[in-house]
Amino acid sequence: MRELRNDERDDLPVLQQLRSRADRDGANRRHPVSAALPTDPAVGLGQIQAADPAFDLELFKRQAADTFLGVKQAVEARDLTPVLDLLSDRVFDEVSQDVASLVARDAVQHFDGLVPTRITVAAADRGSLGDAITLRIQAVALSYLGSAEVGGRTLGGPGAFTEFWTFSRPAGATSPAEMRLECPTCGAPIDVDTGRICHYCRTLLPPPQAQTGWVVAAIQPAQENPG
Ligand SMILES: [Zn+2]
């Protein structure tokens, strides 16, 4: 019993310290204490939803899957122009370096039969600088390096891999009520069946999900991926 009381006495100042620290942080509205602690993504999603009632998580995941596929296809094609509007400057620089290194080695990164198999929310945060949602994207592909000249050799069969993709948008951004359906350059209507080049002025149109304001802010391979 004596030992227990000593333990309790030892814990008390620590608890008081923690509590007063939380109070100080809580008073600082720029950095609410909740943002600094790992929380259930449902909390952040709820805050995003409350401020942006048009936000639709299932639509967001579908658009994220399109972005994921678009970026992988752009890497395979070694041309990031089609996904320029979907990437933050930092991620664009990182992926550009990957592509430059492929070009330097005369190599092509293939992702044959790439398909996302499961997308879940790993983290969601609404902060003073904007919103961020990290998705855990599980996918399957026959991925291999080939040369630009010949098709390349495959080693083994299709493999599963997982990546964490963080999407962010600036503070105050909300989901568009409806997608714009005209060319941003000349105003001609976009024919969704004919691809992404404007019939009239030949502008390369941004991918539809670029209108949502979310960009890829980080891409992290999961640790469980095979080396
Ligand atoms: Zn046009």
Side-chain angles (χ1 to χ4, degrees):
M1 278 309 279
R2 242 196 102 169
E3 253 180 291
L4 248 179
R5 278 200 205 107
N6 278 340
D7 283 353
E8 283 169 355
R9 227 169 284 147
D10 287 347
D11 284 346
L12 201 59
V14 176
L15 278 173
Q16 281 168 343
Q17 257 181 11
L18 279 174
R19 213 167 285 148
S20 73
R21 202 175 300 157
D23 286 346
R24 272 204 305 279
D25 288 349
N28 182 349
R29 286 184 185 178
R30 279 173 167 276
H31 301 285
V33 71
S34 62
L37 300 168
T39 48
D40 185 340
V43 175
L45 283 177
Q47 290 169 345
I48 290 169
Q49 188 94 59
D52 176 13
F55 176 77
D56 177 340
L57 181 59
E58 291 312 309
L59 178 63
F60 176 80
K61 285 191 200 171
R62 282 201 298 277
Q63 289 164 339
D66 287 344
T67 297
F68 173 81
L69 288 168
V71 171
K72 297 296 187 195
Q73 281 160 9
V75 169
E76 183 162 358
R78 306 194 300 183
D79 174 12
L80 298 183
T81 318
V83 293
L84 189 57
D85 298 303
L86 302 177
L87 306 177
S88 67
D89 291 347
R90 207 192 83 185
V91 170
F92 178 78
D93 286 347
E94 285 171 7
V95 182
S96 292
Q97 281 168 25
D98 293 345
V99 169
S101 123
L102 288 168
V103 170
R105 288 180 288 159
D106 192 31
V108 175
Q109 173 64 59
H110 295 273
F111 299 100
D112 290 358
L114 175 66
V115 60
T117 51
R118 187 155 187 261
I119 299 181
T120 52
V121 178
D125 185 53
R126 182 175 173 79
S128 57
L129 296 176
D131 301 332
I133 297 177
T134 300
L135 295 178
R136 184 174 188 273
I137 302 180
Q138 292 167 270
V140 172
L142 181 57
S143 98
Y144 58 96
L145 273 182
S147 92
E149 304 294 311
V150 295
R153 242 163 20 92
T154 64
L155 298 164
F161 64 98
T162 301
E163 290 178 352
F164 290 94
W165 284 51
T166 301
F167 293 80
S168 69
R169 65 179 179 183
T174 53
S175 306
E178 57 188 43
M179 294 299 202
R180 210 176 46 232
L181 289 170
E182 63 270 0
C183 169
T185 302
C186 74
I190 291 171
D191 181 350
V192 287
D193 295 328
T194 55
R196 298 213 358 237
I197 305 285
C198 175
H199 273 317
Y200 296 88
C201 71
R202 313 306 297 168
T203 295
L204 176 68
L205 305 168
Q209 65 268 38
Q211 292 181 32
T212 63
W214 293 96
V215 295
V216 181
I219 301 173
Q220 283 286 325
Q223 284 179 341
E224 71 255 32
N225 283 345

